[in-house]
Amino acid sequence: MKRNISITGNTNFSDLQLKEPAKYAAGTKAVKVALQHAFKEMGVSKSVKGLAQMNQKEGFDCPGCAWPDPEKPSKVAEYCENGAKALAEEATNKKVDAAFFSKYSVEEISNWTDYEIGKSGRITEPMVLYPNSIHYQPIAWEDAYRLIAKQLKNLNHPDEAIFYTSGRSSNEAAFLYGLFIRAFGTNNMPDCSNMCHESSGFALKETLGIGKGSVKLEDFDKADVVMVIGQNPGTNHPRMLTALQKCKENGGKVISVNPLEEAGLIRFKNPQEIKGALLGGEAITDIHLRVKINEDVALLKAIIKKLALLDALNQNVFDHKFIEKHTNGYDSLMDHLKDYDLADLIQQSGVDETHIDEAVSILAKKEKIIICWAMGLTQHKNGVENIKECVNLLLLKGSLGKPGAGTCPVRGHSNVQGDRSVGIMHHVSEQLNTAIKNVFGFDCPNKEGLDTVKAIPAMHEGKAKVFFALGGNFVSAVADTNYAAQALQKCDLTVQVSTKLNRSHTTAGKTALILPTLGRSEFDTSKGKARFFTVENSMGKVHQSKGLLTPASKNLKSEPEIIGGIAEAYFEGNHPVDWLSLSKDYALIREKIAAVIPSFKGINTKSKGSGFYLPNNVRDLNFSMLPNNKAQFSNCELPNHNLKEDEFLMMTIRSHDQFNTTIYGMNDRYRGIYNERRVILMNPNDIETFGFQPLDIVNLTSTYDGVTRHAENFKLISYDIPKGNVASYFPETNVLVPYNHYADKSNTPISKSVVVRIFKKNA
Ligand SMILES: Nc1nc2c(c(=O)[nH]1)N[C@H]1C(S)=C(S)[C@@H](COP(=O)(O)OP(=O)(O)OC[C@H]3O[C@@H](n4cnc5c(=O)[nH]c(N)nc54)[C@H](O)[C@@H]3O)O[C@H]1N2
Ligand SMILES: Nc1nc2c(c(=O)[nH]1)N[C@H]1C(S)=C(S)[C@@H](COP(=O)(O)OP(=O)(O)OC[C@H]3O[C@@H](n4cnc5c(=O)[nH]c(N)nc54)[C@H](O)[C@@H]3O)O[C@H]1N2
Ligand SMILES: [Mo]
């Protein structure tokens, strides 16, 4: 039986209201909004208890972003508005139980908006959807494990199963999961990182020898300049504003590079300081470079060319000692730059030359530079090159391996970096395979697995038949929603380990399971004793996290327990790993992590308190793993979109009221957009030139390789965005992102540069 599932949900408009975009981020309004969300979802006493323990040493790590906690956390609160919303969303008192599923079919749920689906509450018991049914029904944990084991055994080859990971799982859960998947026999481990910072990982590994950033939080206090490129910290990493504020207080400068003038980058009122909350707040950005979408390489090349001209006059602009001692490819880069005309680069970047000159005059004189970036750089066809161009600038300035300087890819999910460190990856690592063999005594598969973009066609074409997800909302997060939904629906079995209901539960396989799990903030016990797990933050620091709230239901299991249960049902005791013992004892898992991955040595003791840093070769200026033992300059090409006259480049971005596919609310307060997410932000001149009116209802198309994709029913908003560029919210416009167009090398979907056409509805 084919279920009649809506992929977009209800697309009717709500009551759109527009205000002036905010002139600053945070302030008392942020505190008020945070508490409103918290009280509404969790009630007052749970809110007070939960928020007091978030990001404190003995408490739990915020389930929101991966920004690190300060070494000396404040005595009171160490969270932001959006961290409070993340907690409220997880610890909500609303429940999705058996009665809910018997009332609402998956067909009906699929007609709701993402907001409505998410707001239905926490899933309280394991549920199954059988092939001829449209209603999930309860299933016992053991029966669910057996069902999964049976389907896995029925496959012709382990590569017919896909095991996705979102970035919220602990190190312990992720390690056990990776171990089971390898024991089962595949490397098909796509993860959310494939859609996120994979481009950063590739670029940094090739140029600096490690796929992670090099700065620590305290480097922000010492930096002369922080560049924030393609990132919106006011919304997505609000606690980063405190670090930028400190940098400014110590005399540092902030340069932002973004097509939009995001509120958090203009002014910041620190809600944790009386003066910040009440007074005007502090200006954050000294220079805003309003780059066109995907023209960062052109802009950076223009900056570097101008610096090179100054350096030729006075040898102090570039750090020649550093370049000589630590780098490879300087002469080649200088030659490569000669191929580009400065005026052309500036024109292509879209940035006013006077602003570029201001940035150049600061950068020329300063030595300690941090470059921060996020999705504005990674989610393009040339995502890897975008980041390599940033590395070029840092290498020229000798801005690595010293206090106040370095690379800062700002991670998304709170443990996305840790999941990778403990083995979630589709690539084969000989070193890891050998270590697993030595410690556990089994052989790991040595065929490269499927990443996110490759997993989708594999399911669509019937090459993969079982889809398993440890967290996340695959269908809404990946590119090409319609194609991805069909891919999942073709599977014999889809399994999702989830905290909350989401759209992927409706685009289910023939048989589908939902396995409800404990959230980060919840009390996790074994035989009455509290357990803790560990996470790694954006700066490579591993530390403990311990939940304290009463779990949403007695029938939840922790992620390691679920993985252990499935592994036991699959191997039935015939495997060298004692899955059940391991899954109950997180300290034992940590011991095994340390045995397999030497940099985690001592994790059981060292992760307590404020935790420990994993080794980082860039901090030590050790590039021995790279050609000539040196950091590498790169010659990056410019992107060429060849847009036709009626085409726009669209970026799909986050509103202030969402965490990825989880929609907290309908407002994007800082951008002044209220009550509506189906909007397209367009430059007022473009609106006029193309014969539109503000608030027109429009449809969008994107055409790649002769295939046209459609997204209908959006309201056009006049906004300060470069001409030829438009912006919309993720995931509403993911239907337009082609699944088979992605960044070179990293395979990250091109979610920030989708070529679209826009038509007035019914015109
Ligand atoms: N509250 C909240 N926090 C979050 C998340 C969330 O959804 N909500 N998501 C988490 C996750 S998983 C991640 S990865 C991060 C994402 O954090 P961000 O990367 O900050 O998120 P986006 O909204 O995708 O914002 C991209 C920014 O880049 C700009 N941009 C887009 N294209 C370009 C370009 O070509 N060049 C330049 N220079 N700028 C560009 C956009 O205008 C926008 O300001 O946040 C994490 N934290
Ligand atoms: N167009 C477009 N697409 C994008 C992006 C973009 O900028 N534009 N950004 C991309 C990026 S950066 C990312 S990281 C991905 C995100 O992709 P995902 O990680 O797949 O998506 P999320 O929305 O973070 O997943 C939310 C779901 O995770 C589950 N969950 C929450 N907490 C837990 C937990 O503790 N354990 C378990 N097991 N489940 C939990 C809940 O059920 C919730 O519904 O999306 C990508 N997609
Ligand atoms: Mo992300």
Side-chain angles (χ1 to χ4, degrees):
M1 181 184 87
K2 198 171 175 316
R3 302 181 193 110
N4 189 9
I5 299 295
S6 160
I7 305 305
T8 49
N10 178 353
T11 60
N12 291 339
F13 292 115
S14 348
D15 178 23
L16 169 67
Q17 302 209 357
L18 298 174
K19 294 186 187 167
E20 277 291 299
K23 294 278 175 270
Y24 63 87
T28 46
K29 175 88 182 174
V31 179
K32 199 173 144 203
V33 173
L35 293 179
Q36 271 168 356
H37 274 264
F39 292 169
K40 188 168 162 214
E41 296 290 333
M42 308 187 276
V44 175
S45 70
K46 200 173 179 185
S47 301
V48 171
K49 190 173 171 190
L51 291 173
Q53 283 304 313
M54 197 146 85
N55 296 333
Q56 300 294 329
K57 276 187 188 152
E58 286 304 311
F60 60 92
D61 191 53
C62 173
C65 75
W67 189 255
D69 311 325
E71 210 48 56
K72 290 186 209 112
S74 50
K75 286 201 187 64
V76 276
E78 184 50 46
Y79 62 88
C80 63
E81 172 189 341
N82 279 343
K85 289 183 196 159
L87 175 65
E89 200 69 22
E90 175 173 299
T92 178
N93 292 329
K94 293 190 208 112
K95 302 281 154 60
V96 169
D97 53 13
F100 173 95
F101 284 113
S102 88
K103 184 166 175 199
Y104 302 109
S105 71
V106 279
E107 293 182 349
E108 184 166 357
I109 297 169
S110 76
N111 283 310
W112 301 351
T113 61
D114 291 309
Y115 174 69
E116 288 162 338
I117 295 178
K119 285 292 173 199
S120 48
R122 279 290 294 278
I123 307 161
T124 58
E125 56 192 302
M127 303 297 298
V128 62
L129 182 68
Y130 287 116
N132 289 320
S133 178
I134 54 168
H135 283 272
Y136 275 98
Q137 60 193 73
I139 182 171
W141 280 102
E142 293 301 324
D143 293 338
Y145 297 157
R146 272 196 289 273
L147 197 160
I148 297 168
K150 191 171 154 221
Q151 288 279 358
L152 290 178
K153 284 180 186 168
N154 274 347
L155 297 175
N156 293 319
H157 191 277
D159 287 340
E160 290 182 356
I162 308 260
F163 294 91
Y164 176 70
T165 316
S166 173
R168 224 177 245 186
S169 298
S170 62
N171 292 333
E172 290 76 358
F175 178 78
L176 197 64
Y177 185 52
L179 196 68
F180 167 65
I181 298 164
R182 290 183 176 91
F184 168 68
T186 183
N187 284 313
N188 286 347
M189 277 180 260
D191 75 334
C192 69
S193 197
N194 297 148
M195 301 176 260
C196 188
H197 268 294
E198 191 81 66
S199 303
S200 310
F202 255 88
L204 293 174
K205 200 150 195 179
E206 286 185 3
T207 54
L208 301 174
I210 181 171
K212 303 179 181 184
S214 72
V215 300
K216 296 180 176 178
L217 190 51
E218 54 266 33
D219 286 317
F220 282 79
D221 303 355
K222 299 168 194 143
D224 294 331
V225 185
V226 180
M227 295 183 80
V228 184
I229 313 188
Q231 194 209 340
N232 179 18
T235 285
N236 298 313
H237 305 91
R239 290 184 305 125
M240 177 175 161
L241 298 182
T242 311
L244 294 177
Q245 182 191 26
K246 274 207 188 146
C247 165
K248 303 273 305 180
E249 282 167 4
N250 294 339
K253 302 275 183 201
V254 175
I255 300 174
S256 67
V257 182
N258 200 308
L260 306 180
E261 212 172 74
E262 304 282 25
L265 292 170
I266 313 175
R267 286 180 94 75
F268 173 48
K269 293 188 182 187
N270 191 337
Q272 295 178 8
E273 289 172 2
I274 305 287
K275 72 173 175 25
L278 300 178
L279 303 178
E282 281 160 71
I284 293 287
T285 293
D286 294 275
I287 300 166
H288 175 69
L289 304 178
R290 187 175 177 267
V291 71
K292 284 188 164 176
I293 292 177
N294 201 205
E295 297 301 352
D296 300 86
V297 171
L299 172 64
L300 287 163
K301 274 201 193 315
I303 290 176
I304 293 173
K305 258 184 104 89
K306 282 185 179 260
L307 289 171
L309 289 173
L310 292 175
D311 189 65
L313 297 174
N314 154 8
Q315 289 283 310
N316 289 327
V317 172
F318 291 158
D319 185 340
H320 289 279
K321 266 197 204 139
F322 181 95
I323 293 169
E324 178 67 27
K325 191 162 173 213
H326 296 294
T327 71
N328 207 12
Y330 172 77
D331 292 336
S332 162
L333 176 66
M334 290 302 127
D335 273 351
H336 164 82
L337 285 174
K338 288 187 193 136
D339 297 344
Y340 296 90
D341 178 69
L342 187 56
D344 290 348
L345 289 171
I346 295 170
Q347 205 230 343
Q348 186 163 344
S349 77
V351 183
D352 198 336
E353 186 166 7
T354 54
H355 295 155
I356 298 180
D357 286 338
E358 287 172 45
V360 167
S361 77
I362 292 177
L363 290 166
K365 286 179 240 129
K366 306 292 183 183
E367 294 167 4
K368 293 178 290 175
I369 301 161
I370 294 176
I371 302 187
C372 303
W373 69 89
M375 299 304 101
L377 287 193
T378 64
Q379 297 175 332
H380 298 282
K381 177 97 170 70
N382 68 337
V384 173
E385 301 244 306
N386 274 338
I387 291 137
K388 286 188 173 177
E389 202 70 82
C390 294
V391 173
N392 281 344
L393 178 56
L394 291 173
L395 289 175
L396 289 167
K397 295 293 297 175
S399 263
L400 285 161
K402 64 182 174 197
T407 51
C408 184
V410 186
R411 299 279 162 176
H413 268 298
S414 51
N415 198 39
V416 59
Q417 192 159 311
D419 291 351
R420 273 291 168 91
S421 297
V422 300
I424 298 298
M425 60 186 162
H426 58 282
H427 299 298
V428 179
S429 157
E430 293 287 339
Q431 206 183 352
L432 185 71
N433 286 1
T434 309
I436 290 179
K437 170 89 179 174
N438 290 339
V439 174
F440 293 101
F442 70 86
D443 289 308
C444 294
N446 52 18
K447 181 178 156 210
E448 173 100 353
L450 299 174
D451 62 9
T452 300
V453 296
K454 297 281 156 73
I456 303 169
M459 291 187 273
H460 211 279
E461 291 159 18
K463 292 180 189 149
K465 299 185 171 96
V466 171
F467 173 81
F468 188 104
L470 190 64
N473 179 6
F474 191 82
V475 84
S476 298
V478 301
D480 229 334
T481 324
N482 288 309
Y483 185 81
Q486 290 164 2
L488 286 185
Q489 286 165 327
K490 285 185 179 180
C491 286
D492 291 334
L493 175 70
T494 53
V495 184
Q496 281 186 265
V497 179
S498 310
T499 50
K500 302 207 54 184
L501 195 65
N502 63 49
R503 192 163 294 285
S504 301
H505 298 122
T506 68
T507 56
K510 290 167 196 154
T511 302
L513 284 163
I514 305 178
L515 305 180
T517 190
L518 288 171
R520 243 317 124 99
S521 57
E522 288 170 332
F523 202 40
D524 184 355
T525 54
S526 171
K527 296 187 190 130
K529 262 186 79 182
R531 295 185 276 203
F532 75 88
F533 57 79
T534 60
V535 291
E536 176 185 339
N537 69 29
S538 195
M539 293 175 189
K541 195 180 206 192
V542 177
H543 63 89
Q544 71 166 42
S545 174
K546 198 173 184 180
L548 79 164
L549 299 178
T550 308
S553 144
K554 289 207 170 79
N555 207 2
L556 302 183
K557 290 195 187 293
S558 75
E559 290 182 346
E561 284 168 350
I562 296 171
I563 297 156
I566 294 167
E568 184 59 26
Y570 181 77
F571 288 112
E572 299 176 284
N574 298 316
H575 194 264
V577 179
D578 180 353
W579 297 100
L580 285 185
S581 306
L582 205 53
S583 69
K584 286 185 188 122
D585 186 349
Y586 302 172
L588 188 60
I589 304 182
R590 283 190 286 276
E591 247 175 55
K592 299 294 181 192
I593 294 177
V596 171
I597 308 159
S599 54
F600 281 84
K601 197 163 171 237
I603 177 177
N604 261 319
T605 43
K606 289 198 300 190
S607 59
K608 296 194 178 141
S610 64
F612 67 102
Y613 279 103
L614 293 173
N616 188 305
N617 61 289
V618 179
R619 287 175 194 152
D620 308 329
L621 289 178
N622 167 9
F623 301 112
S624 57
M625 65 299 286
L626 292 170
N628 290 344
N629 302 325
K630 293 197 167 154
Q632 310 289 311
F633 279 109
S634 321
N635 298 346
C636 308
E637 304 298 326
L638 293 178
N640 185 359
H641 291 285
N642 266 332
L643 290 186
K644 307 215 173 67
E645 231 168 57
D646 59 345
E647 288 176 334
F648 293 85
L649 212 51
M650 177 177 79
M651 54 179 179
T652 57
I653 55 177
R654 291 155 171 81
S655 81
H656 193 60
D657 264 2
Q658 72 183 88
F659 192 93
N660 300 339
T661 69
T662 300
I663 312 301
Y664 301 140
M666 296 301 287
N667 301 335
D668 194 2
R669 194 171 82 242
Y670 292 161
R671 298 195 186 106
I673 301 166
Y674 290 77
N675 293 331
E676 186 54 75
R677 293 181 50 84
R678 301 190 69 81
V679 293
I680 305 296
L681 281 52
M682 190 186 266
N683 180 294
N685 284 323
D686 283 343
I687 292 189
E688 208 185 304
T689 313
F690 289 88
F692 295 120
Q693 299 279 333
L695 302 184
D696 268 354
I697 298 173
V698 293
N699 293 337
L700 285 81
T701 62
S702 72
T703 304
Y704 285 85
D705 316 314
V707 178
T708 298
R709 294 167 177 81
H710 300 263
E712 302 200 334
N713 246 22
F714 289 82
K715 276 192 183 160
L716 209 53
I717 291 184
S718 168
Y719 201 85
D720 181 10
I721 182 171
K723 277 199 259 179
N725 290 174
V726 292
S728 63
Y729 296 131
F730 140 59
E732 281 78 355
T733 43
N734 282 34
V735 284
L736 295 172
V737 189
Y739 77 91
N740 51 0
H741 283 251
Y742 36 77
D744 299 327
K745 294 189 178 179
S746 68
N747 289 8
T748 298
I750 50 162
S751 318
K752 293 285 188 278
S753 44
V754 188
V755 177
V756 296
R757 286 197 172 87
I758 301 175
F759 306 92
K760 203 166 163 165
K761 200 170 173 182
N762 303 327

